[in-house]
């Protein structure tokens, strides 16, 4: 005897297949809802904006020229520059995602362009990390020891004496910290120069990479038959 409602069964089966397909497509999705990575142009613009925020050097070089070192101003300058460098390093991390393509989807020339760009980015980060960051760290996070400041003696409910140690953080070498402030003040102009020079190089490297990629694409199209 034939099924009295064959259409409904077919609809149910088709609906199930459609649902399974949607689930499978969702599992294969390569995007994140509500999120979009930075493009290379956006990264360039953000690096350029960071360059304008690099703090200037006071005319008296933090009081160094007058023999009165302003340690508070030096620390403020170092903190500002440190924040800028942190954001710069995070932006550099975004370049790889902006350039991502599966290996077989890139030409040999594109691979070479990406390798050159990666080398320039790494070189700039290394220069800043080796020549600028340690001097900032000496100012912002000097070495300290945890030492006992005083011992407070109290009595509990039973009348027994209870001793409590109160600790403070103390600079291991205060003279070295003063020296670090003086060194940073003395080298501030060159430290700023190193940072801005590398920012400018990164801007040019990103521009050259985009130009090379565009030329490579046009060249590839020229050989398409």
């Amino acid at each position: 005897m034939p099924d009295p409602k064959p259409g409904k069964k077919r609809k149910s089966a088709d609906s199930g297949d459609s649902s399974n397909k949607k689930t499978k497509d969702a599992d294969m999705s390569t995007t994140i809802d509500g999120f979009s990575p930075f493009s290379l142009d956006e990264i360039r613009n953000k690096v350029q904006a960071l360059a304008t925020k690099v703090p200037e050097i006071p005319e008296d070089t933090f009081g160094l020229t007058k023999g009165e070192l302003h340690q508070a101003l030096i620390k403020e300058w170092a903190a500002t520059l440190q924040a800028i460098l942190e954001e710069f390093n995070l932006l550099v991390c975004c370049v790889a995602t902006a350039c991502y393509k599966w290996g077989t989807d890139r030409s040999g020339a594109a691979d070479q362009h990406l390798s050159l760009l990666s080398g320039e980015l790494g070189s700039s980060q290394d220069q800043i990390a080796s020549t600028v960051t340690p001097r900032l760290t000496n100012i912002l996070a000097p070495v300290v020891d945890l030492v006992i400041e005083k011992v407070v003696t109290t009595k509990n409910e039973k009348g027994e004496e209870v001793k409590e140690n109160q600790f403070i953080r103390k600079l291991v070498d205060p003279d070295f910290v003063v020296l670090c402030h003086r060194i940073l003040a003395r080298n501030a102009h060159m430290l700023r120069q190193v940072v801005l020079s590398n920012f400018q190089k990164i801007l040019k490297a990103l521009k050259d990479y985009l130009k090379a990629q565009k030329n490579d694409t046009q060249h590839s199209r020229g050989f398409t038959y």
Side-chain angles (χ1 to χ4, degrees):
M1 183 175 178
D3 192 333
K5 298 178 181 178
K8 284 191 176 181
K9 281 195 173 183
R10 284 197 299 272
K11 183 177 179 182
S12 177
D14 292 344
S15 177
D17 291 344
S18 176
S19 177
N20 290 337
K21 185 175 185 301
K22 287 181 179 178
T23 302
K24 187 175 181 180
D25 289 343
D27 291 340
M28 294 295 289
S29 175
T30 59
T31 59
I32 300 174
D33 292 340
F35 169 78
S36 59
F38 292 143
S39 67
L40 287 180
D41 281 329
E42 287 176 317
I43 293 172
R44 284 188 72 248
N45 291 337
K46 288 181 178 296
V47 172
Q48 200 154 21
L50 277 180
T52 64
K53 297 178 182 178
V54 174
E56 299 282 350
I57 313 297
E59 289 185 6
D60 64 349
T61 317
F62 305 108
L64 186 66
T65 57
K66 297 179 181 179
E68 299 176 359
L69 205 60
H70 304 310
Q71 294 192 25
L73 289 178
I74 294 173
K75 188 172 183 178
E76 181 182 350
W77 187 88
T80 302
L81 186 56
Q82 178 67 24
I84 290 170
L85 295 182
E86 287 172 1
E87 187 173 347
F88 167 72
N89 285 325
L90 292 172
L91 283 171
V92 170
C93 291
C94 294
V95 172
T97 56
C99 298
Y100 174 77
K101 278 187 180 180
W102 191 246
T104 53
D105 294 335
R106 285 199 302 263
S107 66
D111 268 335
Q112 185 178 13
H113 300 157
L114 185 58
S115 177
L116 289 171
L117 176 63
S118 298
E120 295 299 342
L121 293 174
S123 171
S124 288
Q125 284 184 301
D126 288 344
Q127 281 194 16
I128 292 173
S130 62
T131 61
V132 180
T133 302
R135 288 174 171 81
L136 301 181
T137 302
N138 287 339
I139 301 297
L140 300 174
V143 180
V144 296
D145 272 342
L146 197 62
V147 298
I148 298 175
E149 181 184 25
K150 61 181 178 179
V151 179
V152 178
T153 303
T154 58
K155 289 187 177 182
N156 59 19
E157 296 176 354
K158 297 180 181 180
E160 300 171 336
E161 285 191 352
V162 178
K163 292 185 179 182
E164 179 183 349
N165 294 331
Q166 294 187 354
F167 294 87
I168 60 169
R169 296 179 182 277
K170 194 171 183 179
L171 292 173
V172 173
D173 190 346
D175 290 338
F176 177 71
V177 174
V178 174
L179 177 62
C180 289
H181 281 76
R182 187 173 297 279
I183 290 173
L184 189 141
R186 187 170 62 234
N187 294 311
H189 288 284
M190 286 307 302
L191 293 175
R192 189 173 186 274
Q193 187 76 9
V194 169
V195 170
L196 289 176
S197 295
N198 279 285
F199 279 18
Q200 183 168 293
K201 187 189 80 169
I202 293 303
L203 291 173
K204 190 172 188 308
L206 289 171
K207 181 180 178 180
D208 290 343
Y209 174 80
L210 290 169
K211 181 180 177 182
Q213 286 296 92
K214 183 178 179 181
N215 291 340
D216 185 45
T217 301
Q218 292 174 344
H219 182 71
S220 298
R221 287 176 181 172
F223 283 90
T224 302
Y225 295 94

